[in-house]
Amino acid sequence: MTKKEFQKICSEKIIYLDGATGSNLIRRGMPAGVCPESWILAHPHIMKELQTEYVEAGSHIVYAPTFTSNRIKLAEYGLDDQIEEINRALVAISRQAADGRAYVAGDLTMTGRQLAPMGTLTFEELIMVYKEQISYCVEAGVDLLVVETMMSLQECRAALIAAKEVCDLPVMVTMTFETDGRSLFGTDARTAAVVLESLGAAAIGANCSTGPDKMAEIIREMAEVTTIPLIAKPNAGLPSLAEDGSTVYDMDADTFGREMVQLVEAGASILGGCCGTAPDYIRELVINTKDLPVKVRERQERRYLSSERQTLSFGLEDSFIIVGERINPTGKKKLQAQLREGNLDMVLTFAQEQEACGAGVLDINMGMSGIDEKEMMLQVITEVPGVTSLPLAIDSSHVEVLEAALRQYPGRALINSISLEQVKFEKLLPLAQKYGAMFILLPLSDAGLPKTMEEKIEIIEKITARAYELGMKKEDIVVDGLVTTVGANPGAALETLETIRYCKERGLATICGLSNISFGLPERSFVNTAFLTMAIQSGLTMAIANPSQDLLVNSAFASDL
């Protein structure tokens, strides 16, 4: 099954998942503390019976019991050398239970080891762990993949990247959220939806952690920022301990089925149950929701950039955005000296100061001699999110630096930039698509600066056309107005303003490197500020600038007013 086929099915009717696995196996004899994979393989008839009951109750998709069958978790039981056989055998049980009446999803979750810097596991190591498990599930014949019960957005990203590099199967992703609406690692529902959709998830949503009533707001928040299918797989209410020490939930099957209606109304079209649910819960879920229509959500012309914990949403008519330019060693001798020593004090200070002064995005550029630019970029995009939640623009003239940063950045980044220069055009556009990034379109070619407005438009059209071929949308593109100094070209400002107007008429966001307009002139702040107010009136969306310049920032606020 392809992603497109999966999403088409989800648009036509409500899709039903299965319910809990672990709690039902415990009721059917699985002792606490055992390796669940080993116990299932020793009692395959019990697992098959449970999933057959789910299919008969109405489940369209059952989760293969590969939940913790990754190398790291299996190593806790000394079974990591049997990972291939275990995953293949577990998928086989589910395929027998489904018997062509339901799809089988290869199930993945967190490994239990923390990613650096909180733990010792590197991002690339985690991707390899997921790639290994996914490859065995795919070879065993799963129809799709599900990444579930995730507390870390970055670990969701690792699993999605791994899946992309192994197969073309659709991937569903569900995270768990605390009572404050954020995951354990601080990600809110909107940000999770933005990042996971941009990275290629076929469906996204929430599972576990709460009952249906508390999950409705999570689904509503996701529905505001995405049009892909939404998943709701809540628990059977709240847990408590019974007299015998077992965990019980306060919601019976009838109540669960009725409560799930509100999740369809909130926007979910893929429904199931998590902890405490059983086949009768799925049966009641189907009875209560089968006649409800799938809620159609129209895509709004909004753009989204995000860090791991915060999303920036903007449209062409919204307030002007400053992309803070100061985290760039060019012309900053003290910063250069610190970077050569591996000291990020000034970088972190600049990040905090620019946020305090009103920046909406931070540009990160580590291009200088005497350091390993890629390693320094990776270090900076790891450390900066510790002091600010602003999304980042990744700025480098080297393709390998941009790819390494895009791969590791735990949000939705802005690439600065992609031109028609052959190397960048051919390599960076596919990277933007793969990692779900927005990008700045720089209207340059191998011939250099365009000599006329017509040539500039031609470059813009060629790059956007290729981006659309790769599956990107106009909301993924920010066109650079290509500012040059009026000191050398008296028509430079007018040409840039014309470019901004041209792009806005076509629904494209715009940006410019503001200070270029006054290069070589006296009283530069006045020139920059006057040009900015004219550019905002022409439709400029954002500019790369220093947000600590009061005249500039206040003039931008006044222009918006």
Side-chain angles (χ1 to χ4, degrees), residues 504-554:
K504 186 176 181 183
E505 289 170 1
R506 283 152 183 79
L508 293 167
T510 50
I511 192 170
C512 68
L514 188 63
S515 60
N516 292 343
I517 198 71
S518 63
F519 186 77
L521 298 178
E523 303 292 356
R524 296 186 65 183
S525 64
F526 294 108
V527 180
N528 294 346
T529 302
F531 174 67
L532 176 61
T533 61
M534 298 170 75
I536 291 173
Q537 195 278 332
S538 296
L540 183 68
T541 312
M542 57 179 68
I544 300 171
N546 184 348
S548 65
Q549 297 174 341
D550 287 345
L551 175 63
L552 188 78
V553 173
N554 286 314

Short mmCIF file of all heavy atoms in Angstrom, two decimals, residues 504-554:
data_model
loop_
_atom_site.label_atom_id
_atom_site.label_comp_id
_atom_site.label_asym_id
_atom_site.label_seq_id
_atom_site.Cartn_x
_atom_site.Cartn_y
_atom_site.Cartn_z
N LYS A 504 4.08 38.37 -4.35
CA LYS A 504 2.85 38.40 -3.56
C LYS A 504 1.63 38.15 -4.43
O LYS A 504 0.69 37.45 -4.02
CB LYS A 504 2.72 39.73 -2.83
CG LYS A 504 1.53 39.72 -1.88
CD LYS A 504 1.41 40.98 -1.06
CE LYS A 504 0.21 40.87 -0.11
NZ LYS A 504 0.00 42.10 0.66
N GLU A 505 1.61 38.71 -5.65
CA GLU A 505 0.50 38.47 -6.57
C GLU A 505 0.33 37.00 -6.89
O GLU A 505 -0.77 36.54 -7.21
CB GLU A 505 0.71 39.26 -7.86
CG GLU A 505 0.54 40.77 -7.70
CD GLU A 505 1.00 41.53 -8.94
OE1 GLU A 505 1.43 40.89 -9.92
OE2 GLU A 505 0.92 42.78 -8.92
N ARG A 506 1.42 36.24 -6.81
CA ARG A 506 1.39 34.81 -7.10
C ARG A 506 1.33 33.95 -5.85
O ARG A 506 1.53 32.74 -5.91
CB ARG A 506 2.62 34.45 -7.96
CG ARG A 506 2.42 34.87 -9.41
CD ARG A 506 3.72 35.18 -10.11
NE ARG A 506 3.44 35.64 -11.47
CZ ARG A 506 3.04 36.89 -11.77
NH1 ARG A 506 2.87 37.78 -10.81
NH2 ARG A 506 2.79 37.24 -13.02
N GLY A 507 1.08 34.56 -4.71
CA GLY A 507 0.90 33.81 -3.48
C GLY A 507 2.18 33.31 -2.84
O GLY A 507 2.14 32.36 -2.05
N LEU A 508 3.31 33.92 -3.18
CA LEU A 508 4.59 33.50 -2.63
C LEU A 508 5.07 34.46 -1.55
O LEU A 508 5.01 35.68 -1.71
CB LEU A 508 5.65 33.43 -3.73
CG LEU A 508 5.45 32.35 -4.80
CD1 LEU A 508 6.37 32.62 -5.99
CD2 LEU A 508 5.71 30.96 -4.23
N ALA A 509 5.53 33.91 -0.44
CA ALA A 509 6.13 34.73 0.61
C ALA A 509 7.48 35.26 0.14
O ALA A 509 8.11 34.70 -0.77
CB ALA A 509 6.31 33.90 1.88
N THR A 510 7.94 36.34 0.75
CA THR A 510 9.20 36.97 0.34
C THR A 510 10.07 37.33 1.54
O THR A 510 9.59 37.48 2.66
CB THR A 510 8.94 38.26 -0.48
OG1 THR A 510 7.99 39.08 0.24
CG2 THR A 510 8.39 37.93 -1.86
N ILE A 511 11.37 37.46 1.24
CA ILE A 511 12.37 37.80 2.25
C ILE A 511 13.45 38.61 1.57
O ILE A 511 13.57 38.61 0.34
CB ILE A 511 12.96 36.51 2.88
CG1 ILE A 511 13.80 36.82 4.13
CG2 ILE A 511 13.80 35.73 1.85
CD1 ILE A 511 14.19 35.55 4.91
N CYS A 512 14.23 39.33 2.35
CA CYS A 512 15.40 39.99 1.78
C CYS A 512 16.48 40.16 2.85
O CYS A 512 16.17 40.16 4.05
CB CYS A 512 15.06 41.35 1.17
SG CYS A 512 14.56 42.61 2.36
N GLY A 513 17.72 40.25 2.39
CA GLY A 513 18.83 40.59 3.27
C GLY A 513 18.89 42.11 3.34
O GLY A 513 19.45 42.75 2.47
N LEU A 514 18.28 42.67 4.34
CA LEU A 514 17.95 44.09 4.36
C LEU A 514 19.16 45.01 4.23
O LEU A 514 19.15 45.99 3.47
CB LEU A 514 17.18 44.41 5.64
CG LEU A 514 16.59 45.81 5.72
CD1 LEU A 514 15.56 46.03 4.63
CD2 LEU A 514 15.98 46.03 7.09
N SER A 515 20.22 44.73 4.97
CA SER A 515 21.33 45.67 5.04
C SER A 515 22.10 45.81 3.73
O SER A 515 22.87 46.75 3.56
CB SER A 515 22.29 45.27 6.17
OG SER A 515 22.80 43.98 5.94
N ASN A 516 21.89 44.87 2.79
CA ASN A 516 22.58 44.97 1.50
C ASN A 516 22.23 46.25 0.75
O ASN A 516 23.02 46.76 -0.03
CB ASN A 516 22.22 43.77 0.60
CG ASN A 516 22.77 42.47 1.14
OD1 ASN A 516 23.67 42.47 1.98
ND2 ASN A 516 22.23 41.35 0.68
N ILE A 517 21.03 46.78 1.01
CA ILE A 517 20.56 47.94 0.25
C ILE A 517 21.44 49.16 0.46
O ILE A 517 21.58 50.02 -0.42
CB ILE A 517 19.08 48.26 0.60
CG1 ILE A 517 18.45 49.16 -0.47
CG2 ILE A 517 18.94 48.91 1.97
CD1 ILE A 517 18.20 48.47 -1.78
N SER A 518 22.08 49.26 1.64
CA SER A 518 22.84 50.47 1.98
C SER A 518 24.35 50.26 1.98
O SER A 518 25.09 51.14 2.42
CB SER A 518 22.40 50.95 3.37
OG SER A 518 22.72 49.97 4.35
N PHE A 519 24.80 49.12 1.48
CA PHE A 519 26.24 48.82 1.53
C PHE A 519 27.04 49.94 0.87
O PHE A 519 26.75 50.38 -0.24
CB PHE A 519 26.51 47.49 0.84
CG PHE A 519 27.94 47.03 0.97
CD1 PHE A 519 28.39 46.48 2.15
CD2 PHE A 519 28.82 47.19 -0.09
CE1 PHE A 519 29.71 46.06 2.28
CE2 PHE A 519 30.14 46.78 0.04
CZ PHE A 519 30.59 46.21 1.22
N GLY A 520 28.08 50.43 1.59
CA GLY A 520 28.94 51.47 1.03
C GLY A 520 28.43 52.88 1.21
O GLY A 520 29.10 53.84 0.76
N LEU A 521 27.28 53.04 1.87
CA LEU A 521 26.68 54.38 2.03
C LEU A 521 26.81 54.86 3.47
O LEU A 521 26.92 54.04 4.39
CB LEU A 521 25.21 54.36 1.64
CG LEU A 521 24.86 53.99 0.20
CD1 LEU A 521 23.35 53.96 0.02
CD2 LEU A 521 25.49 54.98 -0.78
N PRO A 522 26.77 56.17 3.69
CA PRO A 522 26.73 56.70 5.07
C PRO A 522 25.30 56.57 5.63
O PRO A 522 24.35 56.35 4.88
CB PRO A 522 27.13 58.16 4.89
CG PRO A 522 26.67 58.50 3.50
CD PRO A 522 26.86 57.25 2.69
N GLU A 523 25.18 56.73 6.94
CA GLU A 523 23.87 56.73 7.60
C GLU A 523 23.02 55.53 7.17
O GLU A 523 21.85 55.65 6.78
CB GLU A 523 23.12 58.04 7.33
CG GLU A 523 23.86 59.29 7.74
CD GLU A 523 24.00 59.41 9.26
OE1 GLU A 523 23.46 58.56 10.00
OE2 GLU A 523 24.66 60.36 9.71
N ARG A 524 23.61 54.36 7.24
CA ARG A 524 22.97 53.16 6.68
C ARG A 524 21.64 52.84 7.35
O ARG A 524 20.73 52.32 6.70
CB ARG A 524 23.91 51.96 6.80
CG ARG A 524 25.19 52.11 5.97
CD ARG A 524 26.02 50.83 6.01
NE ARG A 524 25.31 49.72 5.37
CZ ARG A 524 25.80 48.48 5.33
NH1 ARG A 524 26.95 48.21 5.91
NH2 ARG A 524 25.11 47.52 4.74
N SER A 525 21.51 53.09 8.64
CA SER A 525 20.28 52.71 9.33
C SER A 525 19.07 53.44 8.76
O SER A 525 17.97 52.88 8.69
CB SER A 525 20.39 52.99 10.84
OG SER A 525 20.53 54.37 11.09
N PHE A 526 19.26 54.70 8.33
CA PHE A 526 18.15 55.45 7.75
C PHE A 526 17.75 54.89 6.38
O PHE A 526 16.56 54.80 6.05
CB PHE A 526 18.51 56.94 7.62
CG PHE A 526 18.68 57.62 8.95
CD1 PHE A 526 19.94 57.99 9.40
CD2 PHE A 526 17.60 57.87 9.78
CE1 PHE A 526 20.12 58.61 10.62
CE2 PHE A 526 17.76 58.49 11.00
CZ PHE A 526 19.04 58.85 11.43
N VAL A 527 18.75 54.53 5.60
CA VAL A 527 18.47 53.95 4.28
C VAL A 527 17.75 52.61 4.45
O VAL A 527 16.73 52.34 3.78
CB VAL A 527 19.78 53.76 3.49
CG1 VAL A 527 19.49 53.14 2.11
CG2 VAL A 527 20.50 55.09 3.30
N ASN A 528 18.28 51.77 5.34
CA ASN A 528 17.67 50.46 5.58
C ASN A 528 16.21 50.60 6.04
O ASN A 528 15.32 49.89 5.58
CB ASN A 528 18.45 49.70 6.66
CG ASN A 528 19.84 49.32 6.22
OD1 ASN A 528 20.17 49.37 5.04
ND2 ASN A 528 20.67 48.94 7.17
N THR A 529 15.98 51.53 6.97
CA THR A 529 14.65 51.69 7.53
C THR A 529 13.66 52.22 6.50
O THR A 529 12.52 51.72 6.40
CB THR A 529 14.70 52.64 8.75
OG1 THR A 529 15.61 52.09 9.71
CG2 THR A 529 13.33 52.80 9.37
N ALA A 530 14.06 53.19 5.73
CA ALA A 530 13.16 53.73 4.69
C ALA A 530 12.81 52.65 3.68
O ALA A 530 11.64 52.49 3.29
CB ALA A 530 13.83 54.92 4.00
N PHE A 531 13.82 51.87 3.27
CA PHE A 531 13.56 50.80 2.31
C PHE A 531 12.64 49.74 2.91
O PHE A 531 11.73 49.24 2.24
CB PHE A 531 14.88 50.18 1.87
CG PHE A 531 14.70 48.98 0.99
CD1 PHE A 531 14.17 49.10 -0.28
CD2 PHE A 531 15.04 47.71 1.44
CE1 PHE A 531 13.98 47.99 -1.10
CE2 PHE A 531 14.86 46.60 0.64
CZ PHE A 531 14.33 46.73 -0.63
N LEU A 532 12.85 49.41 4.17
CA LEU A 532 12.03 48.38 4.81
C LEU A 532 10.56 48.78 4.81
O LEU A 532 9.69 47.96 4.50
CB LEU A 532 12.51 48.12 6.23
CG LEU A 532 11.65 47.13 7.03
CD1 LEU A 532 11.65 45.76 6.36
CD2 LEU A 532 12.15 47.01 8.47
N THR A 533 10.26 50.02 5.17
CA THR A 533 8.85 50.43 5.22
C THR A 533 8.21 50.33 3.83
O THR A 533 7.05 49.94 3.70
CB THR A 533 8.72 51.86 5.75
OG1 THR A 533 9.42 52.77 4.90
CG2 THR A 533 9.28 51.97 7.16
N MET A 534 8.97 50.67 2.79
CA MET A 534 8.45 50.55 1.43
C MET A 534 8.27 49.08 1.03
O MET A 534 7.30 48.72 0.36
CB MET A 534 9.39 51.25 0.46
CG MET A 534 9.54 52.75 0.72
SD MET A 534 10.87 53.50 -0.24
CE MET A 534 10.10 53.55 -1.86
N ALA A 535 9.20 48.24 1.46
CA ALA A 535 9.11 46.81 1.14
C ALA A 535 7.92 46.16 1.84
O ALA A 535 7.23 45.32 1.25
CB ALA A 535 10.41 46.11 1.52
N ILE A 536 7.67 46.54 3.09
CA ILE A 536 6.52 45.99 3.81
C ILE A 536 5.24 46.40 3.10
O ILE A 536 4.31 45.59 2.92
CB ILE A 536 6.53 46.46 5.28
CG1 ILE A 536 7.69 45.80 6.05
CG2 ILE A 536 5.19 46.14 5.96
CD1 ILE A 536 7.88 46.32 7.46
N GLN A 537 5.17 47.64 2.65
CA GLN A 537 3.97 48.11 1.91
C GLN A 537 3.80 47.33 0.61
O GLN A 537 2.68 47.07 0.16
CB GLN A 537 4.09 49.61 1.64
CG GLN A 537 2.78 50.27 1.21
CD GLN A 537 2.48 50.10 -0.27
OE1 GLN A 537 3.40 49.97 -1.06
NE2 GLN A 537 1.20 50.10 -0.63
N SER A 538 4.91 46.90 0.02
CA SER A 538 4.85 46.13 -1.23
C SER A 538 4.51 44.66 -1.00
O SER A 538 4.24 43.94 -1.96
CB SER A 538 6.19 46.24 -1.97
OG SER A 538 6.45 47.58 -2.36
N GLY A 539 4.57 44.22 0.28
CA GLY A 539 4.19 42.85 0.59
C GLY A 539 5.29 41.99 1.17
O GLY A 539 5.14 40.77 1.28
N LEU A 540 6.42 42.58 1.58
CA LEU A 540 7.52 41.78 2.13
C LEU A 540 7.06 41.02 3.37
O LEU A 540 6.47 41.59 4.28
CB LEU A 540 8.70 42.70 2.49
CG LEU A 540 9.96 41.99 3.01
CD1 LEU A 540 10.62 41.18 1.90
CD2 LEU A 540 10.95 43.02 3.58
N THR A 541 7.36 39.71 3.40
CA THR A 541 6.93 38.85 4.51
C THR A 541 7.91 38.91 5.68
O THR A 541 7.50 38.98 6.84
CB THR A 541 6.83 37.39 4.03
OG1 THR A 541 6.09 37.34 2.81
CG2 THR A 541 6.15 36.54 5.07
N MET A 542 9.20 38.85 5.38
CA MET A 542 10.21 38.81 6.43
C MET A 542 11.52 39.36 5.89
O MET A 542 11.69 39.50 4.67
CB MET A 542 10.41 37.38 6.95
CG MET A 542 10.79 36.37 5.89
SD MET A 542 11.05 34.67 6.54
CE MET A 542 9.40 34.21 7.02
N ALA A 543 12.43 39.69 6.78
CA ALA A 543 13.75 40.16 6.37
C ALA A 543 14.79 39.65 7.34
O ALA A 543 14.53 39.50 8.54
CB ALA A 543 13.81 41.68 6.30
N ILE A 544 15.98 39.38 6.81
CA ILE A 544 17.12 39.01 7.64
C ILE A 544 17.76 40.30 8.11
O ILE A 544 18.25 41.10 7.30
CB ILE A 544 18.12 38.16 6.84
CG1 ILE A 544 17.43 36.88 6.34
CG2 ILE A 544 19.33 37.80 7.69
CD1 ILE A 544 18.26 36.07 5.37
N ALA A 545 17.70 40.55 9.40
CA ALA A 545 18.13 41.84 9.93
C ALA A 545 18.53 41.70 11.39
O ALA A 545 18.36 40.63 12.00
CB ALA A 545 17.00 42.86 9.79
N ASN A 546 19.05 42.77 11.95
CA ASN A 546 19.45 42.82 13.36
C ASN A 546 18.27 43.38 14.17
O ASN A 546 17.96 44.56 14.06
CB ASN A 546 20.68 43.70 13.53
CG ASN A 546 21.19 43.71 14.96
OD1 ASN A 546 20.51 43.25 15.88
ND2 ASN A 546 22.38 44.25 15.16
N PRO A 547 17.61 42.55 14.98
CA PRO A 547 16.43 43.03 15.70
C PRO A 547 16.72 43.99 16.84
O PRO A 547 15.80 44.53 17.45
CB PRO A 547 15.81 41.73 16.23
CG PRO A 547 16.96 40.80 16.38
CD PRO A 547 17.90 41.13 15.26
N SER A 548 18.00 44.23 17.14
CA SER A 548 18.33 45.16 18.21
C SER A 548 18.38 46.61 17.73
O SER A 548 18.61 47.52 18.52
CB SER A 548 19.67 44.79 18.84
OG SER A 548 20.73 44.94 17.90
N GLN A 549 18.14 46.84 16.44
CA GLN A 549 18.12 48.19 15.89
C GLN A 549 16.74 48.80 16.10
O GLN A 549 15.78 48.50 15.37
CB GLN A 549 18.50 48.17 14.40
CG GLN A 549 19.92 47.68 14.14
CD GLN A 549 20.23 47.52 12.67
OE1 GLN A 549 19.34 47.45 11.84
NE2 GLN A 549 21.51 47.48 12.34
N ASP A 550 16.63 49.68 17.08
CA ASP A 550 15.32 50.20 17.48
C ASP A 550 14.60 50.93 16.34
O ASP A 550 13.39 50.76 16.16
CB ASP A 550 15.48 51.17 18.67
CG ASP A 550 15.79 50.43 19.96
OD1 ASP A 550 15.59 49.20 19.99
OD2 ASP A 550 16.23 51.07 20.93
N LEU A 551 15.32 51.75 15.60
CA LEU A 551 14.69 52.52 14.52
C LEU A 551 14.06 51.57 13.51
O LEU A 551 12.91 51.76 13.09
CB LEU A 551 15.73 53.41 13.84
CG LEU A 551 15.24 54.19 12.62
CD1 LEU A 551 14.15 55.17 13.01
CD2 LEU A 551 16.41 54.94 11.96
N LEU A 552 14.81 50.55 13.15
CA LEU A 552 14.35 49.58 12.15
C LEU A 552 13.13 48.82 12.66
O LEU A 552 12.09 48.74 11.97
CB LEU A 552 15.48 48.59 11.84
CG LEU A 552 15.26 47.63 10.69
CD1 LEU A 552 15.48 48.34 9.37
CD2 LEU A 552 16.19 46.44 10.80
N VAL A 553 13.22 48.26 13.86
CA VAL A 553 12.16 47.42 14.39
C VAL A 553 10.89 48.24 14.63
O VAL A 553 9.79 47.83 14.27
CB VAL A 553 12.62 46.73 15.69
CG1 VAL A 553 11.46 45.99 16.35
CG2 VAL A 553 13.76 45.77 15.40
N ASN A 554 11.02 49.40 15.21
CA ASN A 554 9.83 50.21 15.49
C ASN A 554 9.19 50.73 14.21
O ASN A 554 7.96 50.87 14.14
CB ASN A 554 10.20 51.36 16.43
CG ASN A 554 10.43 50.86 17.85
OD1 ASN A 554 9.65 50.08 18.37
ND2 ASN A 554 11.51 51.31 18.47
#
